Amino acid sequence: MDWSALLRPGLFAGLIVGIVPLLWAGKYQRYPMAITLLVASALGGFMFGVLGGIITALLALSIIISHTYVNQQDPFATRATSLDDVSFDETQFQYFQRQMAGLGTWLRGTGHMLVRNKGGFIGFVGIVFFAVMTVFGPLFIEYEGRPQMDRREPGANTLYAAPSSEFPLGLDWQGRDILSHIVYGGRTLIITSMQAGLFSTIIAVALGSLAALGGQRIDGALNALANLFLTIPNFPLLLVLASIINFDSNLMLAVLLAALTWPGLMRSIRAQVLSLRERDYVEAAVALDLGLTHIIMREVFPNMISYIAINFIFAVRSAMYSLVGLVILGMVPLREPDWGIMIWNAQTRGAFYNPNSLWMALAPITAIALFQLSLILFTRSLEEMFNPRLRQGL
Amino acid sequence: MATSFPADQPPEQSSSTQTQHPLLARLQEIRSSYAFKVVLQGILTAWAATTFTFFLVRLLPGDPVSIKMDQLMQQGYTAQEAANIAVTLFRYDPDVPVLQQYVQYMGNLLRGDLGQSISSAGTEVSQLILRFLPWTLVSVGSALLISFTLGIILGTAMAYWRGSTFDNVLTAIASALSGVPDYVYAIGIILIFGVQLQWFDVGEMRGGVTQGIEPGFTIAYIGSVIKHALLPVITYVLATIGVWILSMKSSTISTLGEDYINVAKARGLSERRILFSYVGRNAMLPLVTRLAISIGFVLSGSVIVERFFEYPGLGRALTIAVTTRDYTTMQGIFLVITIAVIASNILADLMLGWLDPRVSLEEKA
């Protein structure tokens, strides 16, 4: 194992910034939580870089503050004997604490929601599993890109091997460790699908709000455009495009996938904005003159986030479907390691005739199926998280 | 009666229909009808999609004519000969303005002329499509029918006995099934049941029929067609049935809560009559529109699935056309798939309007 790979700047950033929640929790003698959150910030920094480390540390801090903060404005929380003891003036620092406590409480509630729905929790665990595998797997497993001719069993005429204790998923046609390809092969696929999902969500939210709020003419035009894109079959269009453009940039592929998948979400965002505009509580907020920022951030946005989050996941799923499909059909420049390319290799190396090569094709399709399944199960938790009416037994 | 309530009917409309010629009035009625709107919208979308593909192939880098010319010149043709051949193949001359090409292309299209295939010279693209289309239609169509019917039956049963073990187990299975991409099923079936368990011979199951059987209404031919379609159909059914089950279940549950169900129960109607005539028919409404969307989805999915089973349908033809850079065939097949999706959308909208009169009335108003 190569320990130097651990030394990323994000790890140090997470460790250093993580000292703040550590000290805060230490002050209130919450030592187990302090350690957990320091480790969490370090991990966040390791996985998502310097910025990720700082954000994780901030979230960790907010969770601690939500445990320790006493709202001075609340006579019940402070156990004040008379109203004179309650102070409504707060310093900047106290304001910061109150906001952080709010964030922390929300985070803890979200955590409980994740565990509450069984199916959703399984999906969440699955997603975490794949995330951990692609991030930390490379630390423990070395990637085998070259043929390993020396692994040929005496008397065997192929290099294929069934799973053994040394190679838990067996060997492929060049004698390479299939596990290493599974561990390394998800990275590009997952990142590109997430990018595609993100772009598609951004386009959909922007165009959907524009259509709902921009007046009848814009609405009509955008709707017609969405209808056109909805009827054009995505995957065949991608195939046709593949013959014209060279898909050598993953980012471009993500943009292209996003350009094809936005209409579904755009239509639901439009409908949602239109219906939210008419809701009583939004009208009440308008009547109270609470300001556009407040109305959008506090009244409208929280009611749309479930749509957005769930559709983001659906967009990621369909992007991954198309990405793998393109690779399986050999329409994209093949760059190992990639789960799709493992299937392509298995197919071209005769996995459909040779019983020995079962593992070479079974491993990537299981990985893809499990990842997609985790995503779809996770949407159930999301639904419950954002839609209080679905919560059972609350 | 209407004249006594002038607010109900705008007066100018009633006077205009009285003075109009009956034929014109009839036309007016057609124009404002729901079906007309749906069909017109479909035709407009089809036109837009056609225009889109036309400009897509021509305006993007890597002009197909010059690519074909390069290929021909490598085969030993002179530049002039190559240009001539390419122009006849594509039915267009790159020197002619794009708009003129567009008019020509649309004119040819209306006459059903999609040009000639590039890779297999001398074959009309429309003939190629006619050769491949039936296979996809048969496999995708029967799979959709099977999974739709099964899904509706199972979904209704699950909603009726909701909360039971039967419901819980099937819900888990259905969500698991719906989460997995179709090609995973295709590969899994081939690998596990074909290669490992040897339930069928993978090589023999390829293609649309067994080689050497005369086409015709014989038992041998039809049996062979069914046998070869079996694996793709199973794949499509597995990939789509989960969604049908789950949406039918949720739709039925929400219908069961409606007031008219309580009224029907209060009237003392039999359980079976309530389930079939009151619940089932109404709960199916939202699924009819989904059927259209899923036709498009399955047609797209068939591209990958047909590749694995070497099934001679449109999807495999499209893959081959793309790998051989056969632009005319590609364009033609893509167009046919798009138009199939649009046509199924029109059909679904019309069916919905017929099944649920509220929709067409709402559209009219």
Side-chain angles (χ1 to χ4, degrees):
Chain A
M1 180 176 169
D2 188 12
W3 287 103
S4 64
L6 270 174
L7 304 175
R8 294 193 194 173
L11 179 72
F12 293 109
L15 272 177
I16 292 166
V17 191
I19 292 176
V20 181
L22 180 82
L23 289 180
W24 196 292
K27 195 172 128 197
Y28 292 93
Q29 278 127 37
R30 303 207 175 224
Y31 300 116
M33 190 185 287
I35 305 292
T36 319
L37 292 177
L38 178 68
V39 172
S41 355
L43 282 184
F46 181 79
M47 283 175 73
F48 306 115
V50 177
L51 197 66
I54 294 172
I55 292 173
T56 328
L58 267 178
L59 294 180
L61 185 62
S62 76
I63 289 177
I64 292 185
I65 293 180
S66 75
H67 276 287
T68 58
Y69 174 68
V70 179
N71 190 351
Q72 298 299 329
Q73 298 177 354
D74 184 351
F76 295 101
T78 51
R79 300 185 185 168
T81 43
S82 78
L83 255 188
D84 299 331
D85 296 343
V86 183
S87 157
F88 285 99
D89 303 318
E90 57 180 8
T91 57
Q92 289 278 323
F93 184 59
Q94 277 171 329
Y95 176 74
F96 167 75
Q97 270 186 305
R98 188 155 61 86
Q99 293 298 324
M100 287 294 269
L103 178 66
T105 317
W106 181 80
L107 274 179
R108 277 158 62 196
T110 312
H112 283 293
M113 278 311 127
L114 277 182
V115 187
R116 189 179 290 276
N117 186 309
K118 251 184 279 168
F121 183 63
I122 294 173
F124 178 70
V125 170
I127 292 173
V128 169
F129 169 76
F130 279 102
V132 167
M133 187 184 84
T134 35
V135 174
F136 295 102
L139 293 176
F140 301 97
I141 292 159
E142 206 178 321
Y143 174 62
E144 290 183 351
R146 296 164 178 283
Q148 309 280 332
M149 301 306 283
D150 51 311
R151 286 188 186 148
R152 190 194 295 265
E153 295 283 320
N157 51 7
T158 57
L159 281 160
Y160 293 114
S164 57
S165 55
E166 195 185 352
F167 305 110
L169 291 178
L171 299 177
D172 71 359
W173 93 105
Q174 292 186 318
R176 303 178 298 180
D177 185 10
I178 293 175
L179 181 66
S180 82
H181 280 249
I182 289 289
V183 167
Y184 283 81
R187 200 182 129 83
T188 328
L189 191 62
I190 293 173
I191 290 178
T192 313
S193 318
M194 299 265 274
Q195 281 172 337
L198 196 69
F199 295 148
S200 147
T201 312
I202 292 171
I203 299 174
V205 171
L207 292 186
S209 324
L210 188 68
L213 304 171
Q216 212 162 16
R217 201 168 288 172
I218 296 177
D219 187 26
L222 284 176
N223 248 336
L225 194 68
N227 270 333
L228 177 64
F229 271 88
L230 268 183
T231 39
I232 293 180
N234 283 356
F235 195 73
L237 179 61
L238 273 176
L239 277 189
V240 172
L241 283 175
S243 70
I244 302 166
I245 322 169
N246 211 354
F247 290 136
D248 39 15
S249 145
N250 280 327
L251 191 67
M252 196 185 75
L253 202 53
V255 171
L256 196 66
L257 285 168
L260 296 178
T261 47
W262 60 269
L265 175 59
M266 177 251 166
R267 293 225 290 199
S268 36
I269 295 275
R270 175 182 162 272
Q272 191 76 359
V273 172
L274 280 179
S275 101
L276 281 173
R277 217 172 49 171
E278 308 293 323
R279 298 277 170 87
D280 290 343
Y281 54 82
V282 175
E283 281 181 5
V286 173
L288 285 169
D289 198 15
L290 286 174
L292 193 64
T293 331
H294 176 98
I295 293 172
I296 290 177
M297 293 309 291
R298 304 238 91 169
E299 314 287 346
V300 176
F301 189 65
N303 284 295
M304 290 201 341
I305 192 150
S306 67
Y307 264 80
I308 297 173
I310 290 165
N311 276 285
F312 166 73
I313 289 196
F314 281 134
V316 171
R317 271 192 74 212
S318 85
M320 185 177 264
Y321 174 91
S322 305
L323 277 174
V324 175
L326 281 176
V327 176
I328 289 181
L329 295 179
M331 299 297 167
V332 185
L334 303 175
R335 268 189 302 258
E336 285 195 303
D338 184 296
W339 294 341
I341 292 166
M342 293 173 76
I343 300 178
W344 161 264
N345 278 334
Q347 184 195 347
T348 46
R349 303 293 153 188
F352 295 165
Y353 296 105
N354 190 345
N356 293 327
S357 60
L358 172 74
W359 292 94
M360 195 177 146
L362 209 56
I365 66 167
T366 314
I368 292 167
L370 283 182
F371 190 77
Q372 295 244 340
L373 204 56
S374 306
L375 285 179
I376 210 146
L377 284 176
F378 183 57
T379 54
R380 288 218 218 142
S381 267
L382 283 180
E383 261 166 20
E384 237 175 63
M385 204 182 294
F386 297 116
N387 189 353
R389 272 176 231 151
L390 286 175
R391 284 177 207 161
Q392 292 148 356
L394 203 76
Chain B
M1 284 299 279
T3 44
S4 58
F5 296 104
D8 278 354
Q9 259 183 345
E12 68 273 7
Q13 200 188 339
S14 55
S15 63
S16 69
T17 39
Q18 274 167 10
T19 51
Q20 258 176 7
H21 192 270
L23 196 70
L24 270 178
R26 180 84 189 116
L27 276 177
Q28 188 88 30
E29 200 177 295
I30 292 174
R31 208 181 67 82
S32 63
S33 78
Y34 172 71
F36 180 78
K37 256 182 197 170
V38 167
V39 172
L40 186 73
Q41 208 170 9
I43 291 172
L44 277 178
T45 327
W47 168 76
T50 322
T51 312
F52 178 74
T53 32
F54 174 84
F55 285 106
L56 186 81
V57 172
R58 273 162 191 73
L59 294 185
L60 280 170
D63 173 31
V65 169
S66 43
I67 290 176
K68 185 68 192 173
M69 273 171 62
D70 286 346
Q71 282 175 9
L72 288 170
M73 269 147 77
Q74 274 169 8
Q75 287 167 16
Y77 289 94
T78 64
Q80 188 55 42
E81 279 172 349
N84 284 339
I85 295 173
V87 166
T88 39
L89 275 179
F90 285 96
R91 299 273 168 90
Y92 87 80
D93 190 345
D95 302 329
V96 175
V98 176
L99 265 176
Q100 200 181 326
Q101 289 175 30
Y102 173 67
V103 173
Q104 214 169 8
Y105 174 75
M106 289 306 252
N108 284 340
L109 207 61
L110 284 179
R111 274 179 269 128
D113 181 1
L114 292 165
Q116 285 191 353
S117 161
I118 294 175
S119 55
S120 43
T123 323
E124 292 286 324
V125 172
S126 43
Q127 278 177 351
L128 267 177
I129 290 174
L130 279 182
R131 201 194 314 155
F132 293 122
L133 187 63
W135 298 104
T136 301
L137 279 186
V138 165
S139 59
V140 169
S142 53
L144 264 183
L145 222 59
I146 293 171
S147 70
F148 185 75
T149 320
L150 267 180
I152 278 182
I153 294 171
L154 289 175
T156 316
M158 281 156 70
Y160 200 68
W161 291 294
R162 60 184 174 281
S164 65
T165 326
F166 166 74
D167 173 28
N168 290 334
V169 169
L170 260 185
T171 306
I173 293 176
S175 27
L177 281 178
S178 65
V180 178
D182 47 14
Y183 44 77
V184 168
Y185 292 118
I187 304 169
I189 288 174
I190 294 179
L191 283 181
I192 293 169
F193 298 107
V195 179
Q196 292 297 314
L197 298 176
Q198 309 267 334
W199 286 8
F200 57 85
D201 183 16
V202 181
E204 197 184 289
M205 288 303 270
R206 295 191 161 194
V209 286
T210 312
Q211 293 269 308
I213 294 185
E214 281 288 310
F217 276 101
T218 55
I219 296 171
Y221 182 73
I222 293 172
S224 172
V225 167
I226 291 175
K227 185 182 144 197
H228 284 263
L230 206 58
L231 294 182
V233 167
I234 291 175
T235 308
Y236 299 137
V237 169
L238 283 176
T240 50
I241 195 168
V243 179
W244 293 124
I245 292 180
L246 293 179
S247 43
M248 186 62 192
K249 182 190 157 193
S250 68
S251 173
T252 310
I253 286 179
S254 65
T255 313
L256 280 172
E258 295 279 351
D259 288 340
Y260 55 79
I261 304 297
N262 286 333
V263 173
K265 277 182 192 157
R267 280 168 64 204
L269 295 180
S270 70
E271 285 265 311
R272 182 192 281 185
R273 178 134 180 236
I274 292 174
L275 194 60
F276 287 111
S277 318
Y278 287 73
V279 181
R281 284 176 66 161
N282 285 301
M284 260 175 70
L285 286 178
L287 273 81
V288 173
T289 26
R290 288 215 186 170
L291 192 61
I293 300 166
S294 80
I295 288 175
F297 183 76
V298 176
L299 271 179
S300 310
S302 73
V303 176
I304 308 175
V305 173
E306 280 177 3
R307 153 96 180 207
F308 282 112
F309 295 116
E310 294 288 334
Y311 197 73
L314 266 194
R316 188 168 144 274
L318 181 64
T319 323
I320 293 172
V322 170
T323 35
T324 55
R325 312 249 152 188
D326 189 343
Y327 287 93
T328 39
T329 313
M330 205 157 73
Q331 208 174 348
I333 294 175
F334 180 69
L335 210 62
V336 167
I337 293 182
T338 313
I339 287 175
V341 174
I342 293 170
S344 57
N345 268 323
I346 296 177
L347 193 72
D349 281 347
L350 289 182
M351 263 174 82
L352 192 69
W354 177 61
L355 289 171
D356 188 354
R358 285 172 300 182
V359 177
S360 43
L361 288 175
E362 205 173 276
E363 288 277 320
K364 236 182 209 176

